[in-house]
């Protein structure tokens, strides 16, 4: 875009530069800058982007958006400067106004929910990519910085933008939904996630369902909801858009039957609207992945795709790291699902371990679940009782709070010699090296702050 248009979209004052000059990508990280990019100098609790203006200039930035012009004007090598009261607000204004310029042929899908967002995003991008040009959220850059930056990479050549939205405080999802203005909304599920700040499941449902409030009232917009989720009815009531339902247990527009868990996931996908079905094969683990696949398939079908196209897309997903990631070392299979953890994802992981065939023992390494607030103690105690009934041969808990899991598992009948506790991931790694043998399957699951990926890296 032109510098003058950039200034207009983010409501900035042009301090210097040619209004007709070209601006490339928008970046907030000087390490990722390429020549011609515009650098937005964000401020945070522990950083100030204004300190990196000289570096931005050296990397070839064509412009910088600043809120501290005194220091910025002393960097004459930055060709163009735009001044705003607050750079984060300017980034949001830029992305919001840019979204309004997109042609109706570029459809934006917003994915929210307690768990499964990133995997659903990857599945959906793989499905739509069989026929359409798709832009998606990179990695899990789903927050108040990553979301607007992703929106700014969309252009008229894209048929779909697949945007993941993340929140852990009330009101954050509203900010993101106003930027994204989705045509299609997916709410993966509702559960106890980030309840330290969201309060309880009702608070999670209120926050994660926010994108539904922004769906247009037209025939082309719709939402995809999980009919098996206990919050389905309340979520459905939040929008007048068309609703496509998915499920395993209850009747739904897209339903999965004949599930087989044999080291991967197979199921029959039924399209009730067209009375068709197809067998889907997912190269991952876990019954919960079926819901993610159904939601991706729903958007594909609504976009006019054939079931065989959808099946092919789901068979070739590049799954995100540390989410049911498999690694075999010396005959021991490790399931790395330690990107994050909360009660519903812990339940899904334990169910996956129980359902996965193994020639050896099943060992679960479970770490603290963070951001649960007042639910912390009860959630860990409930998880311990669940673990005791998951056919585990050994349970290792990692972290101070995770000791509650161990105690509850023993109280629920798991033999105490099979329950071990450590405080750090490195201790768990050392313990596992002594414990495992060929044929065993080991699950690693805990909140990101526990760092259980270090166990995975040490194997």
């Amino acid at each position: 875009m032109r510098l003058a248009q950039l200034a207009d979209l983010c409501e900035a004052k042009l301090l210097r530069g040619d209004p007709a000059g070209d601006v490339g990508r928008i970046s907030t990280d000087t390490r990722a800058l390429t020549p011609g990019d515009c650098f937005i100098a964000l401020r945070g609790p522990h950083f100030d982007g204004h300190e990196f203006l000289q570096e931005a200039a050296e990397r070839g930035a064509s412009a910088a958006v600043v809120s501290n012009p005194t220091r910025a004007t002393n960097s004459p090598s930055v060709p163009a400067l735009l001044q705003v009261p607050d750079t984060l607000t300017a980034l949001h204004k830029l992305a919001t106004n840019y979204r309004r310029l997109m042609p109706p042929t570029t459809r934006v899908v917003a994915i929210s929910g307690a768990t499964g967002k990133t995997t659903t995003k990857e599945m959906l991008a793989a499905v739509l990519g069989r026929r359409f040009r798709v832009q998606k959220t990179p990695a899990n850059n789903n927050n108040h910085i990553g979301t607007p930056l992703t929106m700014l990479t969309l252009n008229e050549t894209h048929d779909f933008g697949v945007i993941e939205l993340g929140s852990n405080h009330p009101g954050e999802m509203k900010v993101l939904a106003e930027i994204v203005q989705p045509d299609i909304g997916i709410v993966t599920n509702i559960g106890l996630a980030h309840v330290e700040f969201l309060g309880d499941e009702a608070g999670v449902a209120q926050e994660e369902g926010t994108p539904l409030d922004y769906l247009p009232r037209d025939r082309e917009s719709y939402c995809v909801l999980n009919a098996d989720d206990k919050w389905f009815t309340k979520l459905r009531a939040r929008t007048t858009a068309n609703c496509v339902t998915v499920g395993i247990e209850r009747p739904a527009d897209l339903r999965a039957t004949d599930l087989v868990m044999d080291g991967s996931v197979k199921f029959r996908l039924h399209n009730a609207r067209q009375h068709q079905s197809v067998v889907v094969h997912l190269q991952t683990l876990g019954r919960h992945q079926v819901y993610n696949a159904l939601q991706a398939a729903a958007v594909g079908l609504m976009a006019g795709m054939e079931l065989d196209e959808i099946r092919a897309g789901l068979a070739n997903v590049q799954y995100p790291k540390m989410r049911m990631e498999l690694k075999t070392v010396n005959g021991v299979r490790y399931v790395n699902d330690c990107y994050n953890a909360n009660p519903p994802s812990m339940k899904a992981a334990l169910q996956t371990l129980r359902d996965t065939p193994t020639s050896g023992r099943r060992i679960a390494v479970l770490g603290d679940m963070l951001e649960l607030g007042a639910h912390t103690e009860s959630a860990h105690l409930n998880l311990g009782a669940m673990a005791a009934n998951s056919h585990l041969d050994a349970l290792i808990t990692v972290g101070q709070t995770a000791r509650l899991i161990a105690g509850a598992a023993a109280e629920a009948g798991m033999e105490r010699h099979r329950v071990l506790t450590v405080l750090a991931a490195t201790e768990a790694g050392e313990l596992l090296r002594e414990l495992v043998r060929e044929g065993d399957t080991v699950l690693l699951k805990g909140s990101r702050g526990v760092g259980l990926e270090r166990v995975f890296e040490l194997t």
Side-chain angles (χ1 to χ4, degrees):
M1 69 180 73
R2 302 292 187 188
L3 187 61
Q5 183 185 26
L6 173 63
D8 183 56
L9 292 177
C10 66
E11 300 178 16
K13 177 183 178 181
L14 184 58
L15 295 180
R16 72 166 180 251
D18 179 4
D22 288 325
V23 177
R25 298 181 310 118
I26 305 298
S27 178
T28 61
D29 185 347
T30 53
R31 296 168 297 183
L33 278 173
T34 58
D37 290 350
C38 173
F39 174 61
I40 299 183
L42 298 180
R43 281 195 176 98
H46 307 294
F47 69 92
D48 185 348
H50 295 83
E51 297 176 359
F52 299 94
L53 285 168
Q54 185 60 41
E55 182 180 340
E58 292 169 356
R59 287 182 172 268
S62 62
V65 179
V66 300
S67 58
N68 189 339
T70 302
R71 189 186 316 171
T73 52
N74 292 328
S75 299
S77 53
V78 181
L81 282 178
L82 298 91
Q83 181 185 357
V84 295
D86 179 78
T87 49
L88 179 59
T89 302
L91 174 63
H92 289 177
K93 287 180 178 179
L94 173 60
T96 301
N97 290 325
Y98 180 79
R99 168 69 176 102
R100 293 170 181 152
L101 298 178
M102 289 182 196
T105 51
T106 301
R107 313 267 291 151
V108 177
V109 186
I111 303 173
S112 62
T115 63
K117 296 184 292 295
T118 303
T119 301
T120 300
K121 175 208 54 176
E122 296 297 337
M123 287 182 168
L124 178 53
V127 167
L128 292 175
R130 304 295 294 187
R131 183 184 292 195
F132 303 104
R133 287 201 59 181
V134 179
Q135 185 70 306
K136 65 180 181 180
T137 300
N140 68 315
N141 296 328
N142 60 17
N143 66 4
H144 61 295
I145 297 173
T147 296
L149 288 176
T150 301
M151 292 300 295
L152 290 166
T153 65
L154 285 173
N155 59 54
E156 66 278 359
T157 69
H158 295 119
D159 300 300
F160 284 93
V162 179
I163 312 298
E164 177 185 342
L165 306 183
S167 168
N168 57 16
H169 286 78
E172 289 180 343
M173 191 65 72
K174 182 177 186 293
V175 173
L176 302 184
E178 289 175 347
I179 292 170
V180 170
Q181 290 294 319
D183 302 294
I184 301 159
I186 299 176
V187 182
T188 57
N189 52 60
I190 301 300
L192 283 178
H194 305 300
V195 288
E196 179 180 1
F197 308 108
L198 297 178
D200 53 21
E201 274 196 14
V204 176
Q206 178 63 33
E207 184 71 5
E208 299 296 343
T210 300
L212 300 176
D213 302 338
Y214 289 84
L215 294 177
R217 297 182 180 182
D218 60 50
R219 291 186 300 174
E220 299 300 318
S221 70
Y222 57 92
C223 63
V224 180
L225 298 178
N226 181 352
D228 292 344
D229 193 287
K230 68 179 183 179
W231 291 93
F232 166 75
T233 301
K234 289 187 179 295
L235 291 172
R236 179 67 187 92
R238 292 183 69 164
T239 179
T240 58
N242 296 319
C243 182
V244 184
T245 58
V246 303
I248 300 174
E249 307 298 336
R250 298 178 184 175
D253 297 317
L254 271 73
R255 189 162 178 258
T257 64
D258 307 318
L259 276 63
V260 177
M261 312 291 169
D262 59 358
S264 60
V265 179
K266 297 176 184 175
F267 65 95
R268 180 168 288 277
L269 187 159
H270 297 267
N271 177 7
R273 295 188 175 190
Q274 297 178 0
H275 305 288
Q276 297 174 331
S277 70
V278 67
V279 174
V280 173
H281 189 185
L282 305 177
Q283 299 296 332
T284 186
L285 298 176
R287 183 177 185 271
H288 60 289
Q289 304 282 21
V290 175
Y291 288 105
N292 300 334
L294 289 173
Q295 289 161 336
V299 177
L301 283 169
M302 293 296 285
M305 298 180 69
E306 300 294 332
L307 281 179
D308 282 340
E309 287 180 284
I310 292 168
R311 172 173 57 186
L314 290 172
N316 291 282
V317 177
Q318 295 295 314
Y319 289 94
K321 297 289 187 182
M322 294 195 289
R323 294 169 176 87
M324 290 294 156
E325 183 181 1
L326 294 175
K327 178 181 179 182
T328 301
V329 180
N330 298 324
V332 179
R333 179 167 53 180
Y334 293 86
V335 182
N336 177 0
D337 196 42
C338 57
Y339 181 79
N340 214 338
N342 50 46
S345 68
M346 279 286 202
K347 178 180 178 181
L350 284 173
Q351 184 177 31
T352 298
L353 181 59
R354 184 185 63 197
D355 292 343
T356 300
T358 180
S359 61
R361 300 167 299 168
R362 292 181 175 86
I363 301 170
V365 182
L366 306 180
D368 293 343
M369 294 183 288
L370 306 178
E371 294 187 12
L372 293 178
H375 300 271
T376 297
E377 181 175 350
S378 62
H380 285 81
L381 292 174
N382 290 339
L383 180 59
M386 188 186 307
N389 292 288
S390 296
H391 307 298
L392 299 178
D393 295 287
L395 168 66
I396 300 173
T397 66
V398 184
Q400 186 64 44
T401 309
R403 289 178 180 272
L404 294 170
I405 303 172
E411 286 293 324
M414 193 169 181
E415 295 173 312
R416 291 187 179 273
H417 71 275
R418 294 192 288 120
V419 182
L420 306 168
T421 62
V422 297
L423 290 177
T426 51
E427 294 177 81
E430 294 167 2
L431 187 58
L432 274 176
R433 281 198 295 270
E434 299 296 326
L435 179 64
V436 297
R437 55 178 181 249
E438 186 175 350
D440 290 348
T441 299
V442 180
L443 167 69
L444 305 173
K445 181 71 173 172
S447 281
R448 192 71 183 83
V450 182
L452 283 182
E453 71 277 5
R454 284 175 285 175
V455 176
F456 194 61
E457 294 163 357
L458 290 171
T459 56

